[in-house]
Amino acid sequence: HPLYILFSSGTTGIPKCIVHSAGGTLIQHVKEERLHAGLLDGDRFFYFTTCGWMMWNWLVSGLASGATLLLYDGSPFYPDGNVLFDFADAEKMTYFGTSAKFIDSVRKAGLRPIKTHDLSSVRTISSTGSPLSPEDFRFVYDGIKKDVHLASISGGTDIVSCFVLGVPTEPVWTGEIQGPGLGLAVDVWDDDGHTLRQEKGELVCTKAFPAMPIGFWNDPEGKKYHAAYFERFDNVWCHGDFAEWTAHGGLIIHGRSDATLNPGGVRIGTAEIYNQVEQMPEILEALCIGQDFDNDVRVVLFVRLAEGMQLDAELEKRIRAKIRSGASPRHVPAKIVAVADIPRTKSGKITELAVRDVVHGRAVKNKEALANPEALELFRALPELAD
């Protein structure tokens, strides 16, 4: 029986209109929230989310576990970046859910809630929306709270839940999501459908699961649904994430598969570059694309700089050195360009594909999904990318 119709964020094209079932959604959410999130009857459950993001639907299901829902409407940085931590203390929050971007912004703002707040009620801090960098894993324990379960989670609107998430009985390793969801045949495959271990590949689910959508709205023959998830591998869900199993049995998400870079024919995840440059205090955020150039693909890095900073030759040199030492020489961008803003969807995700289309002179089909579509004009016909 249909429960929700959710629209995907539009980071990979025109938003998909996804119909989710009542039974499958509830079973999946109760499993995740009770077993993976450790939610207990009487817990005070919070996720910083808009009503348009699937995390709102995930939050609402906390009622099925007897939790009290804590809701917040407004900017997480007004009047300052402490407001959600103030909220956590005031309401005795037990589960603090937020985004990787929020954690990164708190760190870059120089805040140290571990020194300014009690947070004794908080058992779990959860992060999603984009990969949480190793630097921000460390910041959670050094700057927010030492005795907490940090659960980086990843899934999507496509399944209104998670493929990989926290495991409260296992250790947390820096930069890693702890493991796959219970009952999900999650794997990482190469292009030929072979399992990869400690190598990057496609995140897949090889068996059916309850949270699969009923289908897409206005897709009576299921053609759009099939094309979205089952075209790559026959009868196997291909999620579109570039992922890697770790030695600990956890996973690392390196970004979206369709946003991976391919210089010299070698695939590189954009998150590997972001993890390096966003550690630098001069850089507020970054966006990376592959630009078709001279019969190859070159890596182009756009950076939004902190106030008062300029992208001079010295800063470019340090950015390249940071990427070279922290990732690899292949990750070093051919071009680094400073921009005043970076386009995001209404759920806060950066839009690499839309920027790539603008840089290549192609029409952007999903402007309605963007919170700041005017930012796309900053990337059009840039002289820095002409040679």
Side-chain angles (χ1 to χ4, degrees), residues 127-164:
S127 168
T128 193
S130 58
L132 186 66
S133 71
E135 183 78 6
D136 288 328
F137 265 81
R138 289 187 284 269
F139 172 71
V140 168
Y141 287 104
D142 294 340
I144 299 179
K145 191 179 183 188
K146 290 190 179 297
D147 57 334
V148 73
H149 177 212
L150 173 56
S152 180
I153 66 178
S154 181
T157 303
D158 312 80
I159 61 170
V160 71
S161 57
C162 305
F163 275 123
V164 291

Side-chain angles (χ1 to χ4, degrees), residues 264-342:
V266 178
R267 295 179 77 189
I268 294 172
T270 53
E272 300 168 72
I273 295 175
Y274 301 150
N275 286 345
Q276 301 306 315
V277 298
E278 292 188 355
Q279 295 179 37
M280 302 177 69
E282 300 91 344
I283 298 174
L284 293 179
E285 59 182 348
L287 183 146
C288 202
I289 67 164
Q291 182 194 14
D292 297 335
F293 187 80
D294 197 22
N295 298 316
D296 197 356
V297 176
R298 66 180 181 182
V299 178
V300 178
L301 177 66
F302 298 99
V303 292
R304 185 167 73 89
L305 300 175
E307 188 174 354
M309 293 290 109
Q310 287 189 334
L311 185 63
D312 55 19
E314 175 59 28
L315 181 54
E316 281 201 40
K317 182 179 178 181
R318 286 193 287 114
I319 291 171
R320 288 192 166 94
K322 177 70 173 171
I323 295 171
R324 184 182 299 273
S325 63
S328 80
R330 194 175 291 277
H331 290 75
V332 176
K335 294 282 185 176
I336 303 175
V337 181
V339 289
D341 198 7
I342 286 177

Side-chain angles (χ1 to χ4, degrees), residues 221-263:
E221 297 180 6
K223 291 181 179 179
K224 293 179 182 178
Y225 181 30
H226 183 274
Y229 310 114
F230 300 103
E231 208 165 61
R232 182 73 182 274
F233 302 110
D234 185 39
N235 211 32
V236 168
W237 181 290
C238 185
H239 195 53
D241 279 345
F242 197 44
E244 176 185 2
W245 286 111
T246 72
H248 308 115
L251 289 105
I252 299 171
I253 305 296
H254 292 287
R256 294 291 298 173
S257 299
D258 47 17
T260 54
L261 312 171
N262 202 29

Side-chain angles (χ1 to χ4, degrees), residues 9 11 101 130 278 284-287 304 341-351 367 369-373 375-376:
S9 63
T11 51
K101 185 62 184 174
S130 58
E278 292 188 355
L284 293 179
E285 59 182 348
L287 183 146
R304 185 167 73 89
D341 198 7
I342 286 177
R344 291 183 169 276
T345 66
K346 291 173 182 175
S347 59
K349 298 178 182 179
I350 61 173
T351 54
K367 286 186 179 180
L370 301 182
N372 56 339
L376 289 174

